[in-house]
Amino acid sequence: MEQANYTVSARKYRPQDWDAVVGQAGITRTLQQAISSNQIAQAYLFCGPRGVGKTTSARIFARAINQFEAGHDEDQAFNVFELDAASNNKVEDIRSIVDQVRIPPQSGKYKVYIIDEVHMLSQAAFNAFLKTLEEPPAHAVFILATTEKHKILPTILSRCQIFDFHRITVDDMVKHLQGIAEKEGVTAEEAALHVVAQKADGALRDALSIFDQLVAFAGRNLTYDVVAEHLHVLDHNTYFSIVDHALAGEVAPALLVLDEIVRRGFDPHHFISGLGAHLRNVLVAKDAATTSLIEGPDDLKKRYAEQAAKCSLVFLIRGLDHVNQADVQYRGSQHQRLLVELTLMQLCSLSEADKKKITSLVPVLADAWRSRRPSESAPLRADAAPPVQAAAAPSSAPAPVPEAPPMRVGGLRKRAVKVVVPDSLVVGTDREQKPEELPPIPDDWRDPVTMESVQQAYNAFAQGLQADQRANLAATLRSAKLELHGETVQLEVINEVQLGQLSDVRPDLLDALRRNLRNGGLELRVNVTERDEPTMKFMTDRDRYDAMAAAQPGLDVLRRRLDLDLR
């Protein structure tokens, strides 16, 4: 029994009219309008990836401008000429076309020359083609097709109308495959066809070739599991299980899944790339408005949305960051599997870290964004004194009173010896702690002062400035000359800059001296002491020579004898 010759789907279902062209609606509409308005250009350039319909559109266009019917190849045998520039890229091949262009068509209105892979032409062939392409006969139309537009000379590009064919979307490809499967009597799951479309990477011809291969392998029933196994791609269940293990903090099961993947012959880098795509889909599924960004059937989008509800935004973003780092570092790693395993461990640790509010991306305290209850204690600043323990005094007892008077150290008011517990620490509120205002100095403070006691209080103030990281001001205080005249403390500095520095801190310094020495009548004066220092005079070369000649008269005599000039 004789069987009909088998024809691959890419040829059997090759589009014969504009409506059958998949995924290039903008280009086909433009070409149809050009034909209907009789605005046929002399040269066209169809560029784009492989398998997106460049040559097919060129053939349809050639038939349309000559008004030939599809399927009548004998009508266009003498009007449409196709040349593969990959194998006919010499000057002689182009010259033969140039010679044929002069002959008018025997039937139809135009002679159409389709040159595929035109970027393969040699430099000399391009140059021989330029003049004919710029001024062809009225009956000649050139259609150039290429996958690498950047390799074509700018002089060629400027003479063509350029049409950029884009990759065919997964949805358009799935719809086309469903139509072909129905015509062929093949039962195919939508999820299985999505795998085929994604594997084809936007090339419909590749998708049809894969489809033929799957039908030959699995027969007339294409399921998702069969397609995933035959095309050697990881199924979605693998990635869903990995994320579930990560959410549960289960490191060991996640590593066992990775081991099974490697045993099945998959490259760990392929797994990392797929995991990144899965986390991205889960992230965009958190909002119903962005679910359309996921390429897949509706039931798969629903699964993404269900898992997105379990994942926090922080988990997904940090997970994507870890996976992206592993993807970048994979090629250069000496222990590639260990790198992938470490990434899984990090993913499994994210959920637990999120529960404990542990963060490594921003330097904020745990629970920093959560409102505290009145029963919770407010956090202490690093420079704040620790609170007094409750056992130190009964709750009804009054707060301890400082035995020594308050003092200023380094311009910041503090209390000596004992610390009073602020009310905010007792109550547990979050209001900001403001420096406590010191009481005024009593009028009866008139303790005697000596130069030694003034010097000690003065040095303590300068040391406080040093502790407050105001080293420049502390150095200025130490360099100043300190004197005591009765109850007047006098500071002498050497310039106006130091005077300005001490003027800013003068009120705090005077207050600190009065409180430490228990003398409210102290006064403080700051003066600039003029120092007699020799002034430096700028001397020119002539001034230096005159000075040397005055000290050594023979020098000028020597200069005149040698007839030397000064410049």
Side-chain angles (χ1 to χ4, degrees):
M1 179 178 178
E2 294 184 359
Q3 295 182 351
N5 293 331
Y6 174 74
T7 305
V8 297
S9 298
R11 293 182 56 192
K12 184 177 180 180
Y13 296 101
R14 189 166 205 155
Q16 299 297 321
D17 51 46
W18 296 117
D19 294 336
V21 177
V22 180
Q24 310 294 344
I27 294 176
T28 57
R29 188 183 308 112
T30 302
L31 294 176
Q32 285 179 284
Q33 291 177 354
I35 296 172
S36 60
S37 61
N38 198 25
Q39 295 179 347
I40 309 301
Q42 60 195 20
Y44 296 89
L45 176 63
F46 292 172
C47 52
R50 70 183 189 279
V52 295
K54 298 185 298 296
T55 305
T56 298
S57 298
R59 293 177 179 176
I60 297 175
F61 183 74
R63 286 197 302 268
I65 61 177
N66 283 308
Q67 298 181 355
F68 292 153
E69 295 182 4
H72 293 71
D73 296 337
E74 63 277 2
D75 293 339
Q76 59 182 2
F78 298 99
N79 289 72
V80 181
F81 302 90
E82 293 191 27
L83 176 69
D84 181 19
S87 56
N88 301 277
N89 55 4
K90 299 179 181 179
V91 179
E92 293 77 9
D93 301 320
I94 296 299
R95 285 178 179 172
S96 64
I97 294 178
V98 172
D99 294 338
Q100 295 177 13
V101 166
R102 301 170 186 168
I103 304 173
Q106 296 182 2
S107 61
K109 187 176 180 180
Y110 296 99
K111 293 182 68 174
V112 183
Y113 295 86
I114 302 174
I115 305 178
D116 203 2
E117 302 298 333
V118 70
H119 64 275
M120 299 293 290
L121 289 178
S122 64
Q123 182 75 25
F126 270 127
N127 293 333
F129 192 40
L130 277 176
K131 186 63 177 177
T132 302
L133 191 64
E134 183 177 8
E135 298 179 358
H139 59 266
V141 175
F142 292 95
I143 303 178
L144 314 180
T146 180
T147 57
E148 301 182 44
K149 183 175 69 172
H150 61 279
K151 292 185 178 181
I152 300 178
L153 296 178
T155 50
I156 297 290
L157 296 177
S158 64
R159 290 165 168 80
C160 301
Q161 286 190 12
I162 302 176
F163 290 87
D164 289 304
F165 286 69
H166 54 77
R167 295 182 185 274
I168 301 174
T169 63
V170 172
D171 291 339
D172 289 341
M173 209 176 296
V174 169
K175 292 179 182 178
H176 188 68
L177 290 175
Q178 286 175 335
I180 293 178
E182 184 178 352
K183 294 177 182 178
E184 293 292 324
V186 176
T187 303
E189 295 180 357
E190 184 179 357
L193 296 181
H194 268 279
V195 175
V196 175
Q198 291 172 353
K199 190 73 172 180
D201 193 24
L204 185 56
R205 184 172 61 236
D206 292 3
L208 293 173
S209 300
I210 296 172
F211 178 80
D212 291 343
Q213 182 181 356
L214 290 171
V215 171
F217 169 76
R220 299 288 174 176
N221 186 21
L222 298 182
T223 62
Y224 174 79
D225 294 335
V226 170
V227 172
E229 178 184 0
H230 183 70
L231 296 182
H232 201 62
V233 296
L234 283 173
D235 58 292
H236 299 298
N237 295 330
T238 301
Y239 298 116
F240 278 109
S241 64
I242 284 290
V243 175
D244 288 338
H245 290 316
L247 289 173
E250 299 172 347
V251 177
L255 295 180
L256 291 176
V257 173
L258 175 63
D259 182 70
E260 178 63 23
I261 291 172
V262 175
R263 288 177 181 273
R264 289 164 56 189
F266 288 99
D267 184 5
H269 195 193
H270 175 70
F271 164 73
I272 282 292
S273 300
L275 181 58
H278 179 85
L279 290 175
R280 176 261 182 193
N281 290 337
V282 175
L283 179 62
V284 300
K286 288 191 72 68
D287 190 343
T290 56
T291 307
S292 59
L293 299 178
I294 302 176
E295 294 180 343
D298 292 338
D299 57 343
L300 180 61
K301 294 180 181 180
K302 184 178 179 181
R303 290 188 64 186
Y304 280 125
E306 291 174 354
Q307 190 168 72
K310 304 176 185 177
C311 303
S312 67
L313 188 61
V314 174
F315 172 84
L316 293 174
I317 293 178
R318 292 183 181 172
L320 281 169
D321 182 59
H322 289 312
V323 172
N324 180 64
Q325 291 182 16
D327 186 25
V328 173
Q329 300 171 4
Y330 187 86
R331 293 300 181 189
S333 175
Q334 296 295 327
H335 303 282
Q336 295 176 339
R337 177 164 178 171
L338 177 60
L339 176 65
V340 178
E341 291 175 340
L342 178 60
T343 303
L344 291 180
M345 296 177 192
Q346 291 171 332
L347 291 178
C348 294
S349 303
L350 288 178
S351 181
E352 189 66 23
D354 186 51
K355 292 178 183 177
K356 295 181 180 180
K357 303 297 182 183
I358 299 174
T359 177
S360 59
L361 298 181
V362 288
V364 297
L365 295 174
D367 296 336
W369 304 109
R370 183 170 62 87
S371 299
R372 293 179 176 82
R373 296 185 297 272
S375 61
E376 295 178 344
S377 298
L380 290 176
R381 296 192 301 271
D383 58 345
V388 178
Q389 299 295 331
S395 58
S396 60
V401 179
E403 297 179 357
M407 59 177 291
R408 285 181 181 265
V409 180
L412 298 179
R413 296 188 175 187
K414 300 181 180 178
R415 289 187 176 273
V417 182
K418 293 186 179 180
V419 178
V420 178
V421 180
D423 292 340
S424 60
L425 293 182
V426 177
V427 177
T429 61
D430 286 334
R431 58 178 180 267
E432 183 181 358
Q433 304 301 315
K434 297 182 179 179
E436 184 179 356
E437 293 295 332
L438 299 179
I441 298 176
D443 296 335
D444 57 351
W445 277 11
R446 283 294 187 273
D447 289 1
V449 295
T450 62
M451 184 61 190
E452 182 180 0
S453 62
V454 171
Q455 187 70 56
Q456 290 179 354
Y458 182 81
N459 292 340
F461 185 84
Q463 186 176 0
L465 292 176
Q466 184 76 31
D468 289 341
Q469 298 184 358
R470 303 170 70 181
N472 291 337
L473 189 54
T476 301
L477 284 175
R478 293 192 182 100
S479 64
K481 183 179 179 182
L482 177 66
E483 296 179 354
L484 177 64
H485 302 285
E487 291 188 345
T488 301
V489 179
Q490 181 172 321
L491 294 177
E492 294 185 358
V493 294
I494 62 175
N495 54 49
E496 297 292 337
V497 176
Q498 292 184 345
L499 178 63
Q501 288 180 312
L502 294 186
S503 297
D504 296 335
V505 78
R506 182 181 178 280
D508 290 338
L509 174 58
L510 179 58
D511 186 77
L513 292 176
R514 287 176 175 177
R515 293 181 183 276
N516 285 345
L517 300 176
R518 299 181 62 86
N519 191 320
L522 285 178
E523 297 294 337
L524 177 63
R525 295 179 181 176
V526 183
N527 300 323
V528 178
T529 302
E530 298 290 341
R531 296 184 181 181
D532 297 332
E533 295 181 356
T535 57
M536 300 296 296
K537 180 181 178 183
F538 179 77
M539 301 179 65
T540 63
D541 293 342
R542 181 72 188 191
D543 294 337
R544 288 195 291 270
Y545 174 78
D546 292 341
M548 294 171 61
Q552 299 290 338
L555 180 62
D556 193 59
V557 175
L558 178 62
R559 181 187 67 80
R560 289 196 298 270
R561 287 182 179 180
L562 297 177
D563 195 19
L564 299 177
D565 293 331
L566 292 177
R567 295 182 179 178

